[in-house]
């Protein structure tokens, strides 16, 4: 699936119109006055340079799990571990800055006129999108480990100790939570976020289990564990969940690709092979696409699991 970061890169780098500024007082801008637009490769409209020192030295750096998102022509992310910042994509000016209590653990999550920041100390903060003003803030026992999901006025957040929280998006109150009781499992970061379909929220555990919960109450509807014949240490669900004709389609880090019944979680089909660990996925027009660590891309019929084509990097 094309990440938000990739879409942002396309916005920033694909334009053939020069928007270069001469304002040297604005930090982070890369000025390029010597070349014309037609001479630049790749074509770009100018870009923000968040850390000139790191860019020059190409040093090793900590992994940034939060990245950047684009929402309402704002670019939102963390240029350092101290602040979350929103830049205007129109003129690249800083719109607002929010001091953080820890690194962001997942990308900022925007909806309507709001944005949610999830910090390493377990703090979830809802900000007004255009101004950065705090609307509410809560602290969870552990940090959020996969991207947030939203359905109507409910936010769904999974924490590193594998507890799923349903949070009221208006006031930040916790409506219910479900503890998978797998807090001691080793967790891969940036796994598949919770997925809502109808009155169900689906969630994949580090044990390889699939869970279906009722969105309003958190009541467990079913909990199943599709088995991968190849074994593997990590069974986390990666990419995204998709629904195709009552099939919940998924891929796991251990290489298992499959579809489960929405009603009871029974495995309807599964595909395994020597294609490496699945790390991302997408769905288009009845086809499920899986990307693996070996550079393979698989296209499967989402209803039958039939291999339509297999591209090797």
């Amino acid at each position: 699936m094309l990440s938000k970061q990739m879409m942002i890169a396309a916005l920033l780098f694909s334009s053939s119109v020069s928007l270069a500024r001469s304002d040297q007082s604005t930090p982070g801008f890369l000025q390029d006055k010597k070349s014309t637009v037609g001479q630049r490769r790749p074509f770009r409209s100018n870009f923000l340079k968040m850390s000139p020192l790191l860019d020059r030295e190409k040093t090793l750096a900590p992994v940034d799990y939060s990245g950047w998102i684009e929402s309402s022509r704002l670019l939102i992310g963390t240029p350092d571990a101290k602040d979350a910042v929103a830049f205007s994509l129109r003129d690249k000016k800083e719109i607002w800055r929010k001091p953080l209590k820890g690194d962001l653990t997942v990308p900022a999550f925007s909806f309507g006129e709001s944005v949610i920041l999830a910090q390493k100390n377990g703090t979830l903060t809802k900000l007004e999108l255009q101004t950065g003003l705090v609307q509410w803030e809560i602290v969870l026992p552990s940090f959020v480990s996969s991207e947030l999901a939203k359905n109507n006025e409910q936010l769904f957040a999974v924490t590193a100790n594998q507890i799923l929280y349903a949070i009221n998006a208006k006031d930040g109150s916790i409506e219910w939570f479900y503890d998978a009781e797998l807090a001691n499992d080793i967790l891969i970061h940036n796994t598949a976020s919770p997925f809502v379909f109808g009155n169900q929220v689906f969630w994949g555990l580090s044990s390889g289990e699939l869970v279906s919960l009722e969105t309003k109450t958190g009541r467990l509807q079913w909990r199943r564990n599709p088995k991968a014949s190849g074994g593997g240490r990590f069974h986390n669900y990666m990419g995204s969940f998709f629904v195709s004709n009552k099939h919940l389609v998924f891929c796991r880090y251990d290489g298992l690709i499959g579809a489960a019944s929405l009603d009871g979680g029974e495995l309807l089909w599964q595909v395994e092979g020597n294609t490496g660990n699945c790390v991302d996925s997408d769905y288009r027009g009845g086809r499920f696409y899986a990307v693996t660590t070996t550079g393979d891309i698989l296209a499967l019929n989402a209803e039958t699991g039939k291999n339509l084509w297999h591209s090797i990097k």
Side-chain angles (χ1 to χ4, degrees), residues 274-306:
N274 300 318
T275 55
N277 308 108
C278 182
V279 292
D280 207 350
S281 62
D282 202 356
Y283 175 85
R284 291 289 187 278
R287 294 186 176 189
F288 182 74
Y289 301 92
V291 181
T292 72
T293 51
T294 57
D296 297 292
I297 301 175
L298 287 78
L300 306 171
N301 183 304
E303 294 186 25
T304 65
K306 180 182 177 181

Side-chain angles (χ1 to χ4, degrees), residues 247 257-259 268-271 299-308:
H247 291 53
I257 305 170
L268 302 174
W269 58 259
Q270 68 182 79
V271 173
L300 306 171
N301 183 304
E303 294 186 25
T304 65
K306 180 182 177 181
N307 193 333
L308 302 175

Side-chain angles (χ1 to χ4, degrees), residues 162 178 180 182 192-195 200-213 220-227 235-238 240-242 247-252 256-262 264-269:
Q162 299 202 65
Y178 178 82
L182 294 170
S193 62
F195 178 76
Q200 292 172 275
V201 54
F202 300 97
W203 174 31
L205 309 181
S206 63
S207 61
E209 294 171 278
L210 268 176
V211 174
S212 171
L213 303 167
L220 178 66
Q221 296 185 316
W222 51 260
R223 182 168 173 170
R224 297 265 185 163
N225 192 355
K227 296 295 184 181
H235 309 291
N236 302 81
Y237 289 79
M238 308 301 292
S240 301
F241 293 105
F242 300 96
H247 291 53
L248 179 70
V249 193
F250 61 84
C251 73
R252 291 197 327 207
L256 176 64
I257 305 170
S261 164
L262 296 180
E266 296 86 359
L267 195 62
L268 302 174
W269 58 259

Side-chain angles (χ1 to χ4, degrees), residues 33-198:
K33 300 178 180 179
K34 295 181 180 180
S35 62
T36 65
V37 171
Q39 293 172 327
R40 296 174 186 171
R41 295 293 187 274
F43 295 122
R44 65 174 186 267
S45 63
N46 198 2
F47 55 88
L48 287 169
K49 201 168 186 179
M50 298 303 175
S51 180
L53 177 61
L54 286 179
D55 190 71
R56 285 199 305 271
E57 297 183 357
K58 302 298 181 184
T59 57
L60 293 175
V63 175
D64 177 12
Y65 291 109
S66 60
W68 293 78
I69 69 163
E70 185 275 335
S71 181
S72 299
R73 300 296 293 169
L74 293 179
L75 184 63
I76 304 171
T78 53
D80 52 47
K82 298 178 181 179
D83 303 292
V85 183
F87 293 102
S88 168
L89 284 176
R90 294 183 178 89
D91 56 19
K92 304 180 184 67
K93 289 182 178 179
E94 182 180 311
I95 303 301
W96 53 258
R97 179 177 290 262
K98 173 70 171 68
L100 298 175
K101 300 173 183 177
D103 293 340
L104 295 187
T105 56
V106 294
F109 181 77
S110 68
F111 59 94
E113 293 301 316
S114 302
V115 61
I116 305 283
L117 305 179
Q119 301 173 56
K120 190 63 178 284
N121 70 341
T123 300
L124 274 182
T125 307
K126 181 184 178 184
L127 306 175
E128 198 172 279
L129 183 63
Q130 297 296 332
T131 66
L133 293 176
V134 176
Q135 297 178 321
W136 54 254
E137 190 168 80
I138 61 172
V139 180
L140 302 176
S142 184
F143 64 86
V144 174
S145 58
S146 60
E147 291 191 42
L148 299 165
K150 184 177 182 292
N151 180 57
N152 297 324
E153 293 303 325
Q154 279 185 310
L155 289 169
F156 295 96
V158 173
T159 56
N161 56 355
Q162 299 202 65
I163 299 177
L164 173 62
Y165 292 88
I167 301 167
N168 186 298
K170 289 185 177 180
D171 59 19
S173 60
I174 296 176
E175 298 181 352
W176 55 259
F177 66 87
Y178 178 82
D179 188 347
E181 300 182 350
L182 294 170
N184 295 326
D185 268 20
I186 298 175
L187 190 69
I188 295 176
H189 212 97
N190 282 1
T191 53
S193 62
F195 178 76
V196 179
F197 187 81

